[in-house]
Structure formats: C-alpha cells, structure tokens
Amino acid sequence: MRYSRNRCLSLLYLLCSIYVAFKCVSWSFDKRSVLDFYSKPLIKCKWFKHCVNDTRRNISVNSKQNISSRERLQSFQKLQFVKTSDSTVYMLSAYLITNIEEQKDRIITVIGWEENISKYKYYTCCVRLLEGKRVAIQSTQKFVYHSDADSYLNRVQFSCPISLESRSIEGVSIITHFTRTCHKDAKFYIPVHMPLQGELAVCGTFIYGSLSANLLLEWFEVQRIIGVEKIVTYTFELNKEAMKICEHYESIGLTVLVRIADFPYREKHVNSIDDRSVNVFTDQDVFALDCHTRMYGYKYVLGIDRDEFVLPNIRKHGMSLIKVLDKLFDNSTAGVIMKPNIHVTTWEPFNKSSSLFLSQYLNSTNPVWDRVKYANMPNRTHIGSPGVHDFVPKKGFRWYTAAPADITLHHYRSCQKNWWKKFKSNTNVVYENRSILNEDSHAVSTCTYFQQYQQEDIEIIGQLIEPRVLKLRQKFNIKQ
C-alpha cells in the first residue's frame, strides 16, 4: 500500500512539473508575440484577421544569425520574380534596412519592375507575419528609374517604413490599386533579407551565355589580389565552363552566386538575352540595384562588368584598393566616378605570346567619357538610386571624378563605330590632324585613330595572377 502511495505521489509531482513548464513556455511566447507584432506605420496600419498559412511558398527573414548559410543556399536556389496580386508590379527582392539616419523607423525596401503605364501616388506595403497575420502600411516613398518610352517596364524601389522585429516578418508584397487589400496567399509575397556587411564589395551586371571562362577566371583573380572581400555574381543560362569558375569562387567564399530564374515580359520583348534592347538594359539596372542593396552593410561597393578592372596606382599606392578608396573619400564624399581607359581588342595585341588575355592587350586609350563606372558608400547614397552607370548621393554628400593618378578603370572592349564621332575632336584621345573621309573605313572599324598608351599596372597585375590562373585552368580543364 505504501509503495502504491509513493508511486502515485511521484506521478502527481511529474504532472505538476510538466504543467508549470508548459505555462512558462506559453507565457514566453505570448510576451514575444506582443512585442513582435507592435508596429508604427508611416500613415496608417490596419490589422487583418488570422488566416491559414499557405506553405506553397517558403518565405523567411535572412537574419544576421543565418546570413552565412543563406549565402550558400543562394547557389542552389534560383532567384525568381513574383508578380503582385494586382498584376502591375514584379517584385524581385526585399531587404530590411536598419541604419538610415534620415528615417525614424527602419524600412523594408522592395526592388523590382513596374509596368511603364502604371500611374499611382499611394501604394500599400503588405507585411506577412508569423502564422499568416498581415499588416497593411500605406506609403508614397518610391524611387522610379524611368526607362525608354519603348520599354514595357521601369525599374522601381519601394520603401515601407516599419518598426516590427525582424523575426516576426515572413514576407512582403506591394499593392498599387487603392481598392485592393492584402492577399492571404503566401505566393504573392517575397522573403525579406538582411543586407550583408563588410568593407569592400563588387557588384556586376548578370552574366550569361557564352562568356569566356578564361576572361572570367582572370577577372576573379584580379579582384582577389586587390583585396575585394565579396562579389555578387548573377548568372542566367551561363555556359558550363564559366559556371565552374563561378562555383569555385563561391566555394572559397569570394562570391555570392545567384542564379536568375527568368525576367518579366521576356517572351514579349526579347528572343535572346543577347539582344541589346532597352528592356534588357532595364533588367540589368534592376539587378544592379538588388546588388547594391544586398551589400548595403559594406563600407564601399564597386559597380563594374566582367570585362572591366579597377586598379589602384600600384607603383604609388600598392595593391590594396581599399586603402586608395580611404584616401579618395572624405567626410562629404558619397562616391567617385571613373572614366575608362579602353583596351581596344580589335587592335593588334601588344603581347601575342602572353598566356593571359589581360596582358595581351596592354595598350589602352587615355580616360574617356564612355560607360563610366563608380565606387560608392551605400550609407551615403540614396537607397533606390544605384544603377549600372550612376547613383544619387544623399543630401549633404557629393560625387566627383577620380584622378587616374590614384585609381584607373580598364575596360576591354572591341572598337565601336560611334567612337569616331564621339572623340574625333579630343586631341587627348585621338591623333592630331587625323582626318577620316569615309566613316566606314578600316581605320574607324578598328579604332586605329586612337592614341595608344602602355599600362604598366596591368602588366604588374598580370604577372602576379598568372601562376594561379594557369593552375586553375589546368584544374578545370579550360583551354586558352
């Protein structure tokens, strides 16, 4: 009888302990929910009834704690745009920006495309919370980069002021029609990420098709040796050899590799991504903005293509690009513009025997105003403004053109016929007294009218990267 009583008391004690533990955990979750779901929107905030969570689209915040693992996951998941429920906006990505001095609240910035015919002043940010709850926040803050009139779409960036805790946010969507409400279905929402953090990052346009694996390999090695910490690489239907190079640099942590699933309206406005239409240029600008926002936590971000190389004056400043940028940026500078020295690839190669493409074309023009690029400080730049070739500084900051004596942009490109008309009166660029009667002549098509200058910094950098480039070529079985 005593044994039975002791056993009953032990069982009762165990049940009481479980009950107390359960109440403590429940109280903790209730308290966190109250904190997480509190919001102070810009104009108005409206709560919706609880709805069933749709699991067809997996969306979550890329918090600081899981940033490294999410970086790697991007190599295996394609970045897919999402059409909004009112069908006027195509959302690509969203980021939670917390350190904006001119904003009281933090913002969720949503990047994508909007239809060129869209006319609206107010829009609604639909924030999807845990367990399917939704918050609607009206705003007017957006930055539109208007494309050519022939383009179907414009690039757009929406700013949604918010004070929610990041761990309570599952996704965000945009509604531009005033009669519509936030949709229940999770498929109309995109995940909200935290920007990456560091010192020096590179953003480039997306790469695709038959891009040379050799050139790409040399390009990555130059970035590595001048001290770039992180590169964002967007790919779309890229050839296998070049993709192997990208995946190698992703595996060693130099690049974040993002595969693009598709582009909106592509079936209507372009048969091939190689078509150089205004719509393709708009797509490039959307991904440039995504990259600059993704790297918002970096001190400096450099925007260049895979046929461009930004080098410090090595003989004057050494190999470190960030040391030069520290000298170029004073307290009022948001960015520096760089005019390119064009290495014309239709010229006779300076060094045919070189194993590197980079070193074969050592000669270039003087700096010219053509397809300029820039380095900027994201926290001094209007958050919706960075594109392929330009940006807008925040109020109180400026940009200026960097001197080639400090930093140089080297652009490898074939001769363009319009260059003769563009530069023929500039004696710093073309030979004096050079007259061309026929603009269809061989001299125009090969740009032999340009003055040529040997670039010693390219020669130095080529010697430094050559051993490693040759080793990696052999490893990946890439022919010269």
Side-chain angles (χ1 to χ4, degrees):
M1 186 73 176
R2 179 181 298 177
Y3 172 79
S4 178
R5 185 185 300 114
N6 288 341
R7 190 168 185 180
C8 288
L9 289 173
S10 298
L11 182 60
L12 181 61
Y13 177 81
L14 178 62
L15 290 172
C16 289
S17 300
I18 293 172
Y19 175 79
V20 171
F22 175 79
K23 292 297 288 183
C24 289
V25 171
S26 299
W27 177 85
S28 174
F29 274 103
D30 289 342
K31 184 177 180 181
R32 191 187 71 177
S33 297
V34 170
L35 293 174
D36 287 355
F37 293 165
Y38 175 68
S39 176
K40 296 182 294 182
L42 180 66
I43 298 176
K44 71 176 184 179
C45 178
K46 185 177 180 182
W47 288 95
F48 288 82
K49 292 180 180 179
H50 170 74
C51 63
V52 177
N53 189 21
D54 189 324
T55 58
R56 281 180 288 177
R57 179 174 173 80
N58 185 23
I59 49 183
S60 61
V61 168
N62 182 8
S63 65
K64 292 178 182 178
Q65 288 76 21
N66 66 0
I67 241 170
S68 59
S69 62
R70 299 289 277 182
E71 272 187 36
R72 260 197 85 73
L73 282 174
Q74 290 182 73
S75 292
F76 306 99
Q77 298 175 350
K78 287 192 174 183
L79 182 58
Q80 174 69 59
F81 71 85
V82 173
K83 195 173 184 179
T84 57
S85 59
D86 58 0
S87 302
T88 59
V89 173
Y90 302 81
M91 303 177 296
L92 178 69
S93 56
Y95 299 91
L96 180 64
I97 309 296
T98 60
N99 53 341
I100 301 180
E101 294 177 2
E102 65 271 22
Q103 288 276 159
K104 240 183 179 183
D105 293 324
R106 298 169 300 167
I107 67 166
I108 294 176
T109 176
V110 180
I111 297 161
W113 301 258
E114 70 169 6
E115 294 181 356
N116 210 351
I117 59 172
S118 299
K119 303 291 182 184
Y120 56 91
K121 181 178 180 181
Y122 293 92
Y123 61 89
T124 302
C125 303
C126 298
V127 182
R128 185 179 173 90
L129 306 176
L130 296 172
E131 299 178 352
K133 293 180 181 290
R134 285 156 288 136
V135 177
I137 303 168
Q138 280 192 348
S139 182
T140 59
Q141 301 175 31
K142 68 171 183 171
F143 193 104
V144 181
Y145 195 98
H146 290 284
S147 304
D148 190 275
D150 294 333
S151 175
Y152 290 96
L153 302 168
N154 292 321
R155 188 190 79 179
V156 65
Q157 176 263 342
F158 301 94
S159 292
C160 306
I162 195 167
S163 59
L164 292 166
E165 291 291 332
S166 63
R167 62 179 177 271
S168 69
I169 301 171
E170 284 194 339
V172 67
S173 189
I174 299 293
I175 293 178
T176 59
H177 199 283
F178 68 94
T179 62
R180 291 182 177 268
T181 58
C182 294
H183 207 285
K184 295 179 181 180
D185 198 332
K187 73 179 183 180
F188 293 110
Y189 293 77
I190 59 173
V192 181
H193 299 280
M194 295 291 292
L196 305 182
Q197 297 181 357
E199 291 293 310
L200 176 59
V202 167
C203 285
T205 54
F206 55 80
I207 54 178
Y208 55 89
S210 59
L211 178 70
S212 166
N214 273 312
L215 177 60
L216 191 59
L217 177 56
E218 293 177 29
W219 186 88
F220 272 117
E221 280 304 301
V222 171
Q223 311 314 313
R224 188 184 63 82
I225 208 165
I226 63 175
V228 173
E229 292 178 3
K230 191 70 69 177
I231 301 161
V232 183
T233 302
Y234 299 91
T235 68
F236 180 74
E237 298 178 355
L238 184 62
N239 68 84
K240 290 181 179 179
E241 278 196 339
M243 199 66 196
K244 282 193 293 185
I245 300 300
C246 294
E247 289 172 345
H248 166 72
Y249 287 100
E250 190 275 339
S251 71
I252 65 173
L254 182 60
T255 190
V256 175
L257 187 54
V258 183
R259 291 183 175 91
I260 302 170
D262 209 344
F263 307 90
Y265 272 82
R266 192 163 73 96
E267 72 285 355
K268 294 184 179 181
H269 69 66
V270 62
N271 296 320
S272 166
I273 201 67
D274 288 306
D275 292 354
R276 310 309 290 162
S277 69
V278 292
N279 303 286
V280 174
F281 293 137
T282 300
D283 294 339
Q284 292 281 21
D285 266 321
V286 169
F287 283 93
L289 179 57
D290 173 79
C291 184
H292 280 267
T293 313
R294 186 185 295 260
M295 312 311 278
Y296 190 83
Y298 273 74
K299 184 178 182 181
Y300 301 112
V301 176
L302 187 68
I304 55 175
D305 291 337
R306 294 317 193 276
D307 56 1
E308 296 173 326
F309 302 82
V310 173
L311 298 181
N313 185 324
I314 297 172
R315 291 153 295 157
K316 181 180 177 182
H317 299 297
M319 295 298 301
S320 175
L321 182 58
I322 197 165
K323 286 183 179 179
V324 177
L325 294 175
D326 283 339
K327 293 177 181 178
L328 294 177
F329 281 73
D330 59 20
N331 292 333
S332 64
T333 302
V336 292
I337 300 292
M338 295 165 289
K339 297 189 294 183
N341 290 43
I342 304 176
H343 296 251
V344 183
T345 56
T346 42
W347 286 343
E348 186 73 17
F350 179 87
N351 184 4
K352 289 183 178 180
S353 62
S354 175
S355 60
L356 301 182
F357 177 83
L358 195 71
S359 301
Q360 288 179 12
Y361 296 93
L362 280 182
N363 286 359
S364 79
T365 67
N366 268 333
V368 297
W369 279 107
D370 182 75
R371 296 175 178 268
V372 299
K373 294 299 170 64
Y374 63 90
N376 73 312
M377 297 183 73
N379 64 351
R380 298 180 181 180
T381 302
H382 193 295
I383 195 167
S385 70
V388 174
H389 298 289
D390 55 12
F391 67 98
V392 178
K394 287 182 180 178
K395 186 177 179 181
F397 295 98
R398 67 184 179 100
W399 64 265
Y400 70 93
T401 305
D406 293 315
I407 191 170
T408 305
L409 170 62
H410 299 270
H411 188 181
Y412 285 71
R413 196 178 186 209
S414 61
C415 179
Q416 306 296 303
K417 284 191 175 182
N418 68 320
W419 284 349
W420 169 247
K421 288 184 178 179
K422 194 170 185 178
F423 304 121
K424 63 183 178 181
S425 60
N426 188 342
T427 55
N428 290 322
V429 176
V430 302
Y431 289 109
E432 289 189 69
N433 303 320
R434 178 64 63 92
S435 61
I436 294 178
L437 299 177
N438 181 9
E439 293 191 356
D440 292 325
S441 68
H442 180 73
V444 171
S445 62
T446 58
C447 291
T448 56
Y449 55 83
F450 274 124
Q451 297 183 55
Q452 298 186 28
Y453 302 89
Q454 186 176 338
Q455 299 298 317
E456 293 183 21
D457 285 339
I458 290 289
E459 188 172 16
I460 293 169
I461 206 85
Q463 292 170 357
L464 291 171
I465 70 169
E466 186 174 30
R468 185 171 166 84
V469 167
L470 296 179
K471 184 178 179 180
L472 289 171
R473 273 186 195 165
Q474 186 176 14
K475 177 180 178 179
F476 295 113
N477 195 26
I478 295 173
K479 297 178 181 180
Q480 186 178 352

